[in-house]
Every structure is written in structure tokens, then in C-alpha cells.
Amino acid sequence: MKFNVKLFLAVVTVLCFSNSKAQITTIPAKHLEGTPRLTSSQMLVDYDSLVSYINQVSPIVQFNKEVRNIDFNKHAKKLKKKITSKTSMEEYLFLVEKTLIAAQDGHSNRLGTSLLDIVKTVWIPKGFATGLDTLDFPHSYKYEKFIKENFYTKLKLELVYINGEYYNILPFSYKGKNYPAAMKLISCNNKEIHQFVKNMEELISPLRWDRANKKVYHENFYTVGEIYKNNLLKLTFIDNNQEKRILNITKDDTVTFLEEKKNNFGYNSSTASVITHYFEKEQIFYGKIPAMDEKFGDTLTNRFQTILNKFPVKSIVLDVRGNGGGSDTTYGKFLGKIMSDTLKTNITVGRILSPLNCKYYAMNKDSITAYGMSLTKEGPKLKNLKMFYNIIPNYSFFYPEKETLAFNGAVYILQDRFIYSSTSNLSSLAYKNSRLISIGEMPNLLGGMQNITSVFCLPYSKVIFRLEPQIDFTDCKTVADIFQNQVEHFVTYPIAFLHERTTTNEDIFGKNFLLQKDPMFKKVIELEHQ
């Protein structure tokens, strides 16, 4: 949640370092023409700045060390040793990418094209991001193109992770061999698949953490170019007849799918729109919000009011599957129209008390206490970190409208693993409130109340990146509880359903498909009958 801690952002003063006389003379790779060319000494200063920023701002790296056994600084020390007098700018950018990946946080990464656009046109003008020079932005647009072209491959296999195992959704062919759908992936490059992916802490982020099955996973692990040995990747599957199917595929090669993909399973498209239905027999209003965009919240409210003026509504289904987040105001506006209860809860969030954070937020210990925050708290804490805490009793996630709509039923929240940020906040709210009932999957990513990210620029390369500054201690009895994400009624998709969902010509968010085939919507009907 992007809540105001009543602190003004201050300009981040990036240290200026003297230029070394030695220069890199290699020809820039494609997409890097006109970007800074660094000497090895400049790379080292640049890199040390990156590691310092991460350690001073991101409490997530300490959580990862204590709970997930991911040691960011161990990775950083190893990566720094690879910077020598022979390191090219291209190799250095890979090291920066790996270092940010090793932070293993969905809100800590190099800014891509869309985020660069947002920071430049919205965050800087509104004062959400300071200390940045927009003249440096063209370099990061070029870095994004270079990383996309060279760090990752274009291979698509349509893998999905279900109940602790990987499967391919679609049948495909490669070099004259056919591979059926629903094969289970058991190894990569002759290493057991879960052990292989677990060791990719510098190569793909954020690795998802399946607490139920105690496994680390990522469905697109095979898109990282570095895991291809001698330009080849070996994947071993077992089909439904328990026969091994081996795929040896070349980097940047493609497979031919034998069935057409009609529907995506993942995060929603940026062009997706609000979908609403009214189920007459069940007296259910259904609304799907593709992203936490405030205009979508207004659309949903208006459509619900129109239905309510004509028909009785016993319950609401709010579908946020595939919703990657945005503004908490989106769902707050809607809930504020249908609930007179503010859904208050006690919250405790923390940030690192570091020189960089103090400069960024223009604060010190005196101002922290003056703003009603604290340097201590009860309950679990992260080791070896000086932190300050915002402890708010009876915090309101939204405020009811003066005139609420005449609705007193349950609100079911349909969620899958592809929710994040403010959508995870809604999921957490549902888990704590009796009128909001969450159904579906856990996102398997660190959740809780998050804040607008801090944005920085490295002094020499001018790489622009963001870091998540906040971690949520609300209701935590152990450090592991900081993971936060929960669901009240766990429902996942069988591989057979996912295959049908992916290939069907039916509208997967249409009334018939939801009512007759969708496992999560069918769970709503089951609960309604109870």
C-alpha cells in the first residue's frame, strides 16, 4: 500500500567521483551506442555504490538471508571479483543485472521501459522520485534493450508449476519430434529440476517460494541465456505413460506448438479491461479488475450500482486474478461504496535507519519520533538492522462513502499466483476480515504492505534502478510470518483444466465458463450453498 508516512522526499546527492584517465576503447554492442564507457576503477566505484544502496535501503535482503537462506552480500562479493581491467561494459552490465536479481525482491530491479516512462513523466514531477537527471534516462532505455536481447532468450515452452511440479501446457514439436501436453519436467542439464532452479538466485527474480511444498520455483527459468551450456539446454520430461522425453534445444531456437494458444495464464495484458456479469439465479454480481487502476475502480462501482438498481444482489465476486497491482484506491473506492465498516486493523511496517534513507527522506531520529514513529517495537525483528517503525493502531484501508449502496452480503476475492503489490494488500485484507473471503492460490512472493519504491541512479554507468524500502511486520509472531501472503480457501488448477483454459474458444471470463468450468468460481457457488 502506498500510504503517506508524512515525510517529504529529499534530493538524493549521488557522490561525484573523479574520472580516471584510462578509458575503455571497445566498440559498443548493439543498443549501447552513446552510453557511458567505464574504466575498471569506475566500474568498481559504481558497483560498490549499488551494493551500498541495496544494503542501506532494502530490508528484504535481510529477510531473505534469515528466512530463505539467500545471502545477498555473499553473491555481491563473488560478482565484484569478476570486475577486472579486462571487463567490458557489456560484461559489467550483466554483473549489475545479476546483483539486482540477487536481492530477490519483485520491487527491487533495474527500471525497464514502462517504469522509466512512469518515473520520468509522473514520479519526478510529483516529487515521488528525486535526485535524478532526466538527461541520463536515454542510457537506461538502451540498457533495457541490450539486456532483453542478450541476457534472456526468446524460447517459449508454456511451462506451468502446479502443486510442486512443472508441466507443459501445450503439445509441441522440435526437430521432427512431437512432445505431448502435460509432461512433467524432472531435470535440467542433468540436474534435478528443483535443485537447478533453486540455484538461480543471480539469474532470475523474484524466485517464487512455495511454502506448502517447500520448493523454490520459477516457470520461466529457461529464458535465461547463461544456463545454456555450449549453446544447448537439456530438459528431461516424463509423459503420462511414464516414458522419458528429452528435449535438447539450442539457445534462441523455438518450438512449434501443436495447438493454438487462445488464452494467457499469467499477469493480465496492459490492454485488458473491466468485465462484469450478473448471475440471475445465484444473485451474484461478478467484476474482474485487470489492474489496480483507479479508473477501473470507478467503472466497477458504476456498473454495480446499475445492476443493484435493477436486480437483487446476494453476493459479489471480485476477480483479481492476474492483477499485478497499482493503486490501493482502486479497490478502496469500490469497498467504500458497499461497506459501512472501515475494516480497521493494526499495522506495523519498518524501514532501515541508514544514512541513505535519512538523506532520501530528509529525516533523523528526532524527526522520526516527532512524526509519531518509533525506533523500537515488540515482536520479531530482523537481525543486524537498525530500523524505524510506523506502528498505526486501527489503520483504515479505506473510508466508507457518506451514502453507501444497499448491500450487506459477502465479497469473494478470486486470486491466483499472479497478484502482487496493492492486489496482495487486498488479499491480506480479505484474510483478516469476515465479509471479504479469499479463494484461490497464494502468490508465493513476499507480500504485505509495500510503499512507493526508492529510485536511484549509479554515478558512472547511470543505470537507474528501484528498491523496496519497506517491510511489513503486521501480526507477525516469527520472522517467517513477514512473508504475509495467505488465502482462506485454497483452490488451484489441475493441468487438464489449464490445458482446456489455454486452448478453448470459449470466453474464459464469460458467464458459462465461470459457472460450469472455473474451479475458483465453482468454489464460490459451493460456499454460497453452505
Side-chain angles (χ1 to χ4, degrees), residues 139-216:
H139 301 317
S140 281
Y141 284 109
K142 293 179 179 180
Y143 294 150
E144 169 69 1
K145 290 180 180 178
F146 171 74
I147 293 294
K148 269 190 169 182
E149 288 280 330
N150 296 278
F151 197 82
Y152 299 100
T153 74
K154 296 179 175 62
L155 177 63
K156 290 185 179 180
L157 291 176
E158 298 295 339
L159 294 185
V160 64
Y161 179 88
I162 303 174
N163 287 334
E165 303 295 347
Y166 294 87
Y167 300 88
N168 63 308
I169 298 178
L170 297 176
F172 61 88
S173 67
Y174 181 71
K175 290 189 174 180
K177 289 185 178 180
N178 289 346
Y179 298 81
M183 297 184 298
K184 182 168 74 173
L185 179 63
I186 61 171
S187 71
C188 179
N189 291 344
N190 296 319
K191 189 169 185 178
E192 195 273 331
I193 187 60
H194 299 291
Q195 288 301 314
F196 184 89
V197 175
K198 182 181 179 181
N199 291 324
M200 295 182 69
E201 293 169 354
E202 295 176 3
L203 297 177
I204 198 157
S205 174
L207 290 171
R208 293 179 184 261
W209 181 26
D210 178 1
R211 286 178 295 171
N213 293 289
K214 295 181 171 56
K215 293 177 180 178
V216 171

XYZ file of all heavy atoms in Angstrom, residues 139-216:
670
model
N 20.163 6.500 -21.496
C 21.086 5.373 -21.293
C 20.332 4.140 -20.794
O 20.564 3.013 -21.261
C 22.174 5.753 -20.289
C 22.993 6.931 -20.685
N 23.468 7.120 -21.963
C 23.419 8.008 -19.968
C 24.165 8.245 -22.025
N 24.138 8.809 -20.825
N 19.414 4.342 -19.848
C 18.691 3.196 -19.286
C 17.718 2.577 -20.284
O 17.459 1.368 -20.245
C 17.950 3.614 -18.007
O 18.847 3.671 -16.909
N 17.165 3.377 -21.196
C 16.344 2.795 -22.260
C 17.199 1.869 -23.130
O 16.755 0.785 -23.535
C 15.733 3.899 -23.124
C 14.571 4.621 -22.491
C 14.698 5.928 -22.052
C 13.332 3.997 -22.324
C 13.625 6.607 -21.466
C 12.261 4.665 -21.752
C 12.415 5.963 -21.319
O 11.350 6.621 -20.744
N 18.431 2.271 -23.393
C 19.335 1.430 -24.189
C 19.760 0.188 -23.410
O 19.883 -0.897 -23.977
C 20.551 2.240 -24.620
C 20.227 3.350 -25.616
C 21.466 4.141 -26.005
C 21.115 5.232 -27.010
N 22.310 6.016 -27.406
N 20.008 0.360 -22.102
C 20.366 -0.801 -21.274
C 19.252 -1.851 -21.299
O 19.512 -3.061 -21.356
C 20.635 -0.370 -19.832
C 21.841 0.505 -19.644
C 21.888 1.447 -18.616
C 22.957 0.415 -20.490
C 22.999 2.262 -18.427
C 24.065 1.225 -20.308
C 24.081 2.149 -19.275
O 25.175 2.950 -19.091
N 18.002 -1.382 -21.245
C 16.869 -2.314 -21.257
C 16.854 -3.132 -22.541
O 16.674 -4.361 -22.510
C 15.560 -1.522 -21.108
C 14.287 -2.324 -21.362
C 14.001 -3.368 -20.304
O 14.781 -3.476 -19.330
O 12.995 -4.087 -20.445
N 17.068 -2.492 -23.677
C 17.093 -3.211 -24.946
C 18.246 -4.200 -25.000
O 18.100 -5.330 -25.476
C 17.189 -2.220 -26.109
C 15.937 -1.396 -26.321
C 16.096 -0.430 -27.490
C 14.834 0.393 -27.699
N 14.997 1.369 -28.805
N 19.418 -3.780 -24.508
C 20.584 -4.668 -24.519
C 20.359 -5.899 -23.651
O 20.646 -7.028 -24.071
C 21.816 -3.900 -24.034
C 23.008 -4.780 -23.809
C 23.740 -5.299 -24.880
C 23.394 -5.128 -22.517
C 24.830 -6.122 -24.661
C 24.485 -5.957 -22.292
C 25.207 -6.449 -23.372
N 19.856 -5.699 -22.425
C 19.625 -6.827 -21.515
C 18.588 -7.778 -22.102
O 18.757 -9.009 -22.064
C 19.174 -6.321 -20.131
C 20.301 -5.557 -19.439
C 18.698 -7.485 -19.264
C 21.503 -6.400 -19.077
N 17.516 -7.241 -22.661
C 16.484 -8.093 -23.259
C 17.040 -8.937 -24.386
O 16.694 -10.111 -24.542
C 15.336 -7.223 -23.782
C 14.236 -6.985 -22.778
C 13.033 -6.338 -23.450
C 11.835 -6.338 -22.517
N 10.639 -5.753 -23.168
N 17.904 -8.349 -25.192
C 18.443 -9.045 -26.356
C 19.507 -10.066 -25.981
O 19.681 -11.068 -26.680
C 19.045 -8.030 -27.329
C 18.022 -7.195 -28.072
C 17.409 -7.935 -29.237
O 18.090 -8.795 -29.822
O 16.233 -7.662 -29.553
N 20.238 -9.827 -24.893
C 21.430 -10.620 -24.625
C 21.396 -11.446 -23.342
O 22.054 -12.488 -23.266
C 22.657 -9.698 -24.586
C 22.915 -9.041 -25.917
O 23.513 -9.621 -26.810
N 22.448 -7.800 -26.069
N 20.668 -10.989 -22.325
C 20.637 -11.746 -21.069
C 19.619 -12.881 -21.138
O 19.801 -13.929 -20.526
C 20.288 -10.802 -19.908
C 20.610 -11.348 -18.543
C 21.890 -11.278 -18.027
C 19.622 -11.936 -17.764
C 22.185 -11.778 -16.771
C 19.904 -12.445 -16.499
C 21.202 -12.361 -16.004
N 18.566 -12.653 -21.900
C 17.470 -13.617 -21.973
C 17.347 -14.198 -23.378
O 17.822 -13.626 -24.354
C 16.148 -12.951 -21.576
C 16.166 -12.410 -20.163
C 16.373 -11.047 -19.925
C 16.007 -13.246 -19.075
C 16.410 -10.545 -18.632
C 16.043 -12.756 -17.776
C 16.249 -11.398 -17.565
O 16.290 -10.916 -16.284
N 16.693 -15.354 -23.478
C 16.410 -15.978 -24.767
C 14.962 -15.703 -25.151
O 14.186 -15.164 -24.372
C 16.622 -17.498 -24.706
O 15.540 -18.092 -23.975
C 17.941 -17.858 -24.028
N 14.608 -16.103 -26.354
C 13.237 -15.901 -26.830
C 12.418 -17.194 -26.781
O 11.297 -17.245 -27.274
C 13.255 -15.345 -28.257
C 13.880 -13.960 -28.361
C 13.894 -13.471 -29.793
C 14.417 -12.035 -29.871
N 15.793 -11.903 -29.392
N 12.983 -18.238 -26.200
C 12.299 -19.526 -26.144
C 11.041 -19.450 -25.281
O 11.046 -18.874 -24.197
C 13.237 -20.596 -25.570
C 12.651 -21.999 -25.379
C 12.247 -22.597 -26.720
C 13.652 -22.901 -24.669
N 9.949 -20.049 -25.779
C 8.716 -20.176 -25.019
C 8.308 -21.641 -24.990
O 8.222 -22.281 -26.033
C 7.602 -19.333 -25.649
C 7.805 -17.834 -25.513
C 6.613 -17.070 -26.059
C 6.805 -15.558 -25.888
N 5.650 -14.801 -26.412
N 8.076 -22.151 -23.787
C 7.652 -23.550 -23.633
C 6.287 -23.676 -22.973
O 5.746 -24.771 -22.891
C 8.687 -24.328 -22.814
C 10.044 -24.572 -23.477
C 10.988 -25.264 -22.507
C 9.886 -25.400 -24.743
N 5.746 -22.568 -22.489
C 4.446 -22.588 -21.794
C 4.459 -23.597 -20.643
O 3.594 -24.460 -20.527
C 3.309 -22.894 -22.766
C 3.125 -21.864 -23.868
C 2.690 -20.493 -23.351
O 2.150 -20.437 -22.239
O 2.923 -19.501 -24.056
N 5.466 -23.464 -19.775
C 5.515 -24.303 -18.577
C 4.636 -23.713 -17.483
O 4.438 -22.498 -17.407
C 6.951 -24.411 -18.050
C 7.979 -25.131 -18.914
C 9.306 -25.234 -18.162
C 7.499 -26.515 -19.326
N 4.126 -24.589 -16.647
C 3.323 -24.150 -15.508
C 3.711 -24.985 -14.297
O 4.067 -26.161 -14.419
C 1.812 -24.285 -15.811
C 1.422 -25.736 -16.007
C 0.970 -23.645 -14.724
N 3.670 -24.354 -13.129
C 4.013 -25.020 -11.876
C 2.726 -25.301 -11.111
O 1.961 -24.379 -10.808
C 4.937 -24.120 -11.062
C 5.357 -24.654 -9.719
C 6.481 -25.458 -9.579
C 4.637 -24.324 -8.565
C 6.878 -25.925 -8.326
C 5.019 -24.781 -7.318
C 6.147 -25.584 -7.208
O 6.535 -26.056 -5.970
N 2.466 -26.571 -10.809
C 1.247 -26.968 -10.104
C 1.600 -27.941 -8.979
O 2.203 -28.993 -9.225
C 0.232 -27.651 -11.051
C -0.126 -26.733 -12.217
C -1.035 -28.049 -10.298
C -0.995 -27.401 -13.256
N 1.224 -27.577 -7.764
C 1.407 -28.463 -6.605
C 2.802 -29.078 -6.538
O 2.969 -30.281 -6.346
C 0.349 -29.572 -6.624
C -1.025 -29.056 -6.260
O -1.158 -28.056 -5.560
N -2.061 -29.721 -6.745
N 3.811 -28.252 -6.734
C 5.186 -28.699 -6.536
C 5.868 -29.269 -7.753
O 7.018 -29.714 -7.654
N 5.211 -29.271 -8.925
C 5.823 -29.847 -10.117
C 5.610 -28.936 -11.335
O 4.659 -28.167 -11.390
C 5.230 -31.237 -10.422
C 5.346 -32.240 -9.286
C 6.778 -32.629 -8.949
O 7.687 -32.323 -9.746
O 6.981 -33.239 -7.878
N 6.520 -29.085 -12.322
C 6.415 -28.338 -13.575
C 5.784 -29.214 -14.657
O 6.118 -30.398 -14.777
C 7.798 -27.925 -14.084
C 8.555 -26.942 -13.231
C 9.362 -27.382 -12.177
C 8.506 -25.572 -13.486
C 10.080 -26.485 -11.406
C 9.228 -24.666 -12.720
C 10.018 -25.131 -11.681
O 10.734 -24.248 -10.918
N 4.902 -28.605 -15.460
C 4.295 -29.295 -16.594
C 4.274 -28.343 -17.796
O 4.279 -27.123 -17.631
C 2.855 -29.721 -16.281
C 2.703 -30.651 -15.108
C 2.547 -30.147 -13.816
C 2.726 -32.036 -15.277
C 2.414 -30.997 -12.721
C 2.586 -32.893 -14.199
C 2.433 -32.362 -12.917
O 2.302 -33.200 -11.843
N 4.226 -28.915 -19.002
C 3.995 -28.091 -20.186
C 2.507 -28.111 -20.513
O 1.873 -29.164 -20.544
C 4.823 -28.581 -21.377
C 4.456 -29.987 -21.813
O 4.427 -30.908 -20.995
N 4.165 -30.165 -23.092
N 1.939 -26.930 -20.762
C 0.503 -26.839 -21.024
C 0.161 -27.322 -22.430
O -0.839 -28.015 -22.633
C 0.009 -25.393 -20.832
C 0.234 -24.937 -19.389
C -1.475 -25.276 -21.179
C -0.181 -23.497 -19.140
N 1.002 -26.960 -23.403
C 0.689 -27.249 -24.806
C 1.622 -28.309 -25.386
O 2.806 -28.354 -25.053
C 0.821 -25.973 -25.650
C -0.121 -24.825 -25.324
C 0.224 -23.610 -26.180
C -1.570 -25.228 -25.529
N 1.095 -29.168 -26.281
C 1.971 -30.082 -27.007
C 2.797 -29.290 -28.019
O 2.359 -28.242 -28.500
C 0.998 -31.038 -27.702
C -0.230 -30.219 -27.901
C -0.318 -29.304 -26.715
N 3.998 -29.802 -28.342
C 4.844 -29.082 -29.289
C 5.725 -30.067 -30.057
O 5.854 -31.250 -29.691
C 5.717 -28.046 -28.574
C 6.675 -28.621 -27.559
C 7.954 -29.045 -27.919
C 6.305 -28.722 -26.221
C 8.839 -29.565 -26.985
C 7.177 -29.251 -25.262
C 8.448 -29.665 -25.647
N 6.329 -29.575 -31.109
C 7.284 -30.369 -31.876
C 8.593 -29.613 -31.987
O 8.614 -28.377 -31.990
C 6.743 -30.687 -33.274
O 6.650 -29.508 -34.049
N 9.690 -30.367 -32.081
C 11.013 -29.755 -32.243
C 11.913 -30.726 -32.996
O 12.068 -31.880 -32.590
C 11.626 -29.408 -30.883
C 12.988 -28.759 -30.989
C 13.109 -27.450 -31.470
C 14.143 -29.439 -30.611
C 14.356 -26.841 -31.562
C 15.385 -28.838 -30.692
C 15.492 -27.542 -31.185
O 16.729 -26.947 -31.287
N 12.411 -30.266 -34.132
C 13.296 -31.067 -34.976
C 12.712 -32.441 -35.283
O 13.380 -33.477 -35.125
C 14.675 -31.190 -34.339
C 15.451 -29.872 -34.343
C 16.886 -30.059 -33.901
C 17.657 -28.740 -34.053
N 19.069 -28.862 -33.626
N 11.436 -32.451 -35.674
C 10.797 -33.680 -36.123
C 10.241 -34.562 -35.033
O 9.615 -35.589 -35.320
N 10.432 -34.187 -33.759
C 9.904 -34.981 -32.653
C 8.712 -34.259 -32.037
O 8.740 -33.043 -31.846
C 10.971 -35.208 -31.574
C 12.077 -36.163 -31.988
C 13.020 -36.420 -30.805
C 14.113 -37.406 -31.159
N 15.027 -37.656 -30.013
N 7.674 -35.030 -31.715
C 6.479 -34.473 -31.071
C 6.508 -34.743 -29.568
O 6.898 -35.838 -29.124
C 5.215 -35.070 -31.666
C 4.955 -34.580 -33.076
O 5.572 -33.603 -33.527
N 4.044 -35.224 -33.784
N 6.107 -33.754 -28.806
C 6.071 -33.852 -27.350
C 4.641 -33.538 -26.891
O 4.106 -32.471 -27.214
C 7.051 -32.861 -26.720
C 8.493 -33.109 -27.082
C 9.007 -32.662 -28.294
C 9.341 -33.792 -26.223
C 10.337 -32.885 -28.642
C 10.671 -34.027 -26.549
C 11.164 -33.559 -27.762
O 12.481 -33.792 -28.104
N 4.000 -34.442 -26.146
C 2.597 -34.239 -25.756
C 2.457 -33.192 -24.665
O 3.436 -32.808 -24.003
C 2.175 -35.616 -25.243
C 3.447 -36.223 -24.737
C 4.530 -35.730 -25.645
N 1.239 -32.733 -24.447
C 0.945 -31.824 -23.334
C 1.008 -32.584 -22.014
O 0.978 -33.821 -21.982
C -0.436 -31.206 -23.518
N 1.112 -31.843 -20.936
C 1.041 -32.373 -19.565
C 2.196 -33.295 -19.204
O 2.059 -34.153 -18.331
C -0.286 -33.095 -19.340
N 3.353 -33.127 -19.846
C 4.536 -33.858 -19.394
C 5.069 -33.192 -18.121
O 5.007 -31.973 -17.971
C 5.629 -33.819 -20.463
C 5.296 -34.484 -21.768
S 6.716 -34.464 -22.921
C 6.946 -32.691 -23.153
N 5.618 -33.989 -17.221
C 6.225 -33.446 -16.003
C 7.722 -33.250 -16.230
O 8.412 -34.176 -16.668
C 5.982 -34.378 -14.816
C 6.545 -33.829 -13.510
C 6.049 -34.602 -12.301
C 6.708 -35.958 -12.181
N 6.348 -36.643 -10.927
N 8.200 -32.065 -15.962
C 9.629 -31.773 -16.115
C 10.370 -32.248 -14.873
O 10.024 -31.868 -13.755
C 9.830 -30.272 -16.306
C 11.272 -29.778 -16.454
C 11.919 -30.360 -17.700
C 11.303 -28.247 -16.497
N 11.411 -33.075 -15.067
C 12.111 -33.635 -13.904
C 13.551 -33.165 -13.769
O 14.121 -33.223 -12.682
C 12.068 -35.178 -13.907
C 12.761 -35.745 -15.157
C 10.640 -35.683 -13.787
C 12.945 -37.260 -15.092
N 14.173 -32.697 -14.875
C 15.561 -32.257 -14.746
C 15.921 -31.249 -15.833
O 15.275 -31.165 -16.879
C 16.525 -33.445 -14.808
O 16.593 -33.980 -16.120
N 16.955 -30.477 -15.535
C 17.525 -29.536 -16.498
C 19.036 -29.690 -16.466
O 19.647 -29.669 -15.382
C 17.122 -28.107 -16.139
S 17.793 -26.861 -17.255
N 19.620 -29.889 -17.639
C 21.069 -30.113 -17.742
C 21.535 -31.212 -16.793
O 22.563 -31.095 -16.114
C 21.838 -28.815 -17.482
C 21.651 -27.799 -18.587
O 21.192 -28.130 -19.683
N 22.006 -26.556 -18.319
N 20.736 -32.285 -16.721
C 21.016 -33.485 -15.912
C 20.984 -33.232 -14.404
O 21.443 -34.061 -13.627
C 22.375 -34.094 -16.291
C 22.399 -34.584 -17.719
O 21.434 -35.177 -18.201
N 23.497 -34.325 -18.420
N 20.406 -32.117 -13.982
C 20.266 -31.837 -12.560
C 18.789 -31.776 -12.203
O 17.989 -31.211 -12.954
C 20.954 -30.516 -12.210
C 21.043 -30.255 -10.708
C 21.953 -29.080 -10.423
C 22.131 -28.895 -8.912
N 23.060 -27.782 -8.599
N 18.412 -32.365 -11.069
C 17.018 -32.377 -10.642
C 16.469 -30.960 -10.701
O 17.115 -29.998 -10.259
C 16.930 -32.934 -9.220
C 15.525 -33.335 -8.796
C 14.744 -32.172 -8.214
O 15.389 -31.270 -7.643
O 13.499 -32.154 -8.334
N 15.284 -30.814 -11.255
C 14.792 -29.502 -11.656
C 14.683 -28.520 -10.496
O 15.018 -27.335 -10.626
C 13.438 -29.629 -12.402
C 13.008 -28.269 -12.961
C 12.372 -30.254 -11.534
C 13.976 -27.654 -13.933
N 14.230 -28.988 -9.332
C 14.050 -28.055 -8.222
C 15.392 -27.572 -7.671
O 15.522 -26.407 -7.280
C 13.212 -28.705 -7.123
C 11.838 -29.085 -7.585
N 10.879 -28.156 -7.890
C 11.274 -30.299 -7.828
C 9.779 -28.767 -8.298
N 10.002 -30.062 -8.267
N 16.382 -28.442 -7.651
C 17.710 -28.028 -7.227
C 18.325 -27.065 -8.238
O 19.032 -26.123 -7.883
C 18.613 -29.254 -7.041
C 18.278 -30.075 -5.821
C 18.370 -29.270 -4.537
O 19.339 -28.544 -4.315
N 17.359 -29.393 -3.684
N 18.049 -27.315 -9.515
C 18.585 -26.458 -10.563
C 18.031 -25.040 -10.428
O 18.787 -24.060 -10.425
C 18.238 -27.029 -11.941
C 18.841 -26.264 -13.082
C 20.100 -26.591 -13.558
C 18.167 -25.207 -13.674
C 20.679 -25.874 -14.596
C 18.732 -24.485 -14.710
C 19.990 -24.824 -15.179
N 16.725 -24.907 -10.310
C 16.100 -23.579 -10.246
C 16.465 -22.874 -8.943
O 16.683 -21.651 -8.924
C 14.578 -23.695 -10.405
C 13.904 -22.348 -10.211
C 14.229 -24.261 -11.778
N 16.562 -23.623 -7.868
C 16.898 -23.037 -6.570
C 18.222 -22.296 -6.613
O 18.421 -21.296 -5.915
C 16.940 -24.138 -5.503
C 17.229 -23.642 -4.094
C 17.272 -24.793 -3.110
C 17.582 -24.300 -1.705
N 17.645 -25.417 -0.732
N 19.153 -22.768 -7.449
C 20.488 -22.173 -7.526
C 20.576 -21.016 -8.514
O 21.677 -20.543 -8.818
C 21.509 -23.254 -7.904
C 21.702 -24.264 -6.797
O 21.661 -23.919 -5.616
N 21.906 -25.519 -7.158
N 19.440 -20.537 -9.004
C 19.436 -19.442 -9.980
C 19.206 -18.083 -9.318
O 18.587 -17.188 -9.888
C 18.372 -19.704 -11.054
C 18.651 -20.917 -11.908
S 17.405 -21.182 -13.207
C 17.743 -19.780 -14.297
N 19.734 -17.906 -8.116
C 19.478 -16.692 -7.344
C 20.065 -15.439 -7.979
O 19.623 -14.331 -7.680
C 20.015 -16.870 -5.918
C 19.248 -17.927 -5.129
C 19.934 -18.305 -3.830
O 21.070 -17.816 -3.600
O 19.352 -19.070 -3.051
N 21.057 -15.590 -8.859
C 21.647 -14.437 -9.544
C 21.103 -14.279 -10.966
O 21.504 -13.353 -11.667
C 23.166 -14.579 -9.633
C 23.890 -14.563 -8.299
C 25.380 -14.811 -8.460
O 25.840 -14.939 -9.618
O 26.086 -14.879 -7.438
N 20.204 -15.155 -11.372
C 19.830 -15.199 -12.781
C 18.369 -14.885 -13.064
O 18.025 -14.518 -14.194
C 20.167 -16.574 -13.366
C 21.648 -16.943 -13.376
C 21.841 -18.359 -13.909
C 22.442 -15.948 -14.213
N 17.492 -15.043 -12.081
C 16.079 -14.755 -12.334
C 15.410 -14.305 -11.037
O 15.680 -14.865 -9.965
C 15.370 -15.986 -12.946
C 14.073 -15.577 -13.613
C 15.183 -17.096 -11.941
C 13.596 -16.549 -14.674
N 14.575 -13.273 -11.138
C 13.958 -12.698 -9.941
C 12.561 -12.174 -10.259
O 12.316 -11.687 -11.362
C 14.827 -11.550 -9.423
O 14.218 -10.871 -8.350
N 11.668 -12.271 -9.255
C 11.871 -12.957 -7.983
C 11.561 -14.441 -8.102
O 10.541 -14.814 -8.694
C 10.873 -12.269 -7.053
C 9.762 -11.836 -7.972
C 10.395 -11.516 -9.287
N 12.444 -15.274 -7.564
C 12.128 -16.696 -7.467
C 10.946 -16.855 -6.513
O 10.941 -16.289 -5.422
C 13.332 -17.469 -6.937
C 14.532 -17.595 -7.878
C 15.718 -18.190 -7.131
C 14.203 -18.448 -9.093
N 9.961 -17.608 -6.940
C 8.784 -17.809 -6.075
C 9.081 -18.884 -5.041
O 9.860 -19.804 -5.287
C 7.567 -18.176 -6.918
C 7.121 -17.025 -7.817
C 5.924 -17.390 -8.665
N 5.577 -16.322 -9.580
C 4.609 -15.430 -9.382
N 3.885 -15.511 -8.282
N 4.359 -14.485 -10.268
N 8.418 -18.769 -3.921
C 8.689 -19.631 -2.771
C 7.407 -20.343 -2.377
O 6.511 -19.767 -1.779
C 9.222 -18.767 -1.627
C 9.576 -19.509 -0.389
C 9.955 -20.808 -0.270
C 9.586 -18.970 0.933
N 10.202 -21.113 1.037
C 9.989 -20.014 1.802
C 9.306 -17.722 1.465
C 10.105 -19.824 3.169
C 9.426 -17.539 2.832
C 9.823 -18.580 3.668
N 7.320 -21.615 -2.767
C 6.158 -22.456 -2.472
C 6.325 -23.017 -1.065
O 6.976 -24.039 -0.862
C 6.062 -23.574 -3.517
C 4.911 -24.534 -3.254
O 4.171 -24.332 -2.276
O 4.749 -25.492 -4.040
N 5.732 -22.321 -0.095
C 5.891 -22.752 1.299
C 5.210 -24.092 1.563
O 5.683 -24.894 2.365
C 5.320 -21.700 2.239
C 6.180 -20.471 2.361
C 5.532 -19.448 3.265
N 4.297 -18.938 2.700
C 3.443 -18.151 3.362
N 3.704 -17.798 4.603
N 2.343 -17.708 2.791
N 4.077 -24.327 0.891
C 3.329 -25.564 1.140
C 4.161 -26.794 0.788
O 4.153 -27.796 1.504
C 2.029 -25.553 0.337
N 4.882 -26.715 -0.344
C 5.694 -27.854 -0.782
C 7.183 -27.661 -0.520
O 7.997 -28.486 -0.932
C 5.474 -28.085 -2.280
C 4.072 -28.557 -2.586
O 3.687 -29.681 -2.277
N 3.263 -27.674 -3.184
N 7.518 -26.542 0.136
C 8.907 -26.230 0.496
C 9.833 -26.294 -0.726
O 10.875 -26.945 -0.712
C 9.399 -27.166 1.601
C 8.668 -26.992 2.927
C 9.204 -27.910 4.002
C 8.616 -27.584 5.360
N 7.149 -27.616 5.403
N 9.414 -25.596 -1.787
C 10.202 -25.574 -3.014
C 10.284 -24.160 -3.570
O 9.335 -23.388 -3.480
C 9.583 -26.506 -4.071
C 9.645 -27.981 -3.711
C 8.961 -28.832 -4.769
C 9.022 -30.316 -4.404
N 8.323 -31.157 -5.410
N 11.446 -23.852 -4.150
C 11.632 -22.602 -4.880
C 11.367 -22.880 -6.349
O 11.797 -23.911 -6.877
C 13.066 -22.068 -4.688
C 13.344 -20.901 -5.619
C 13.286 -21.668 -3.235
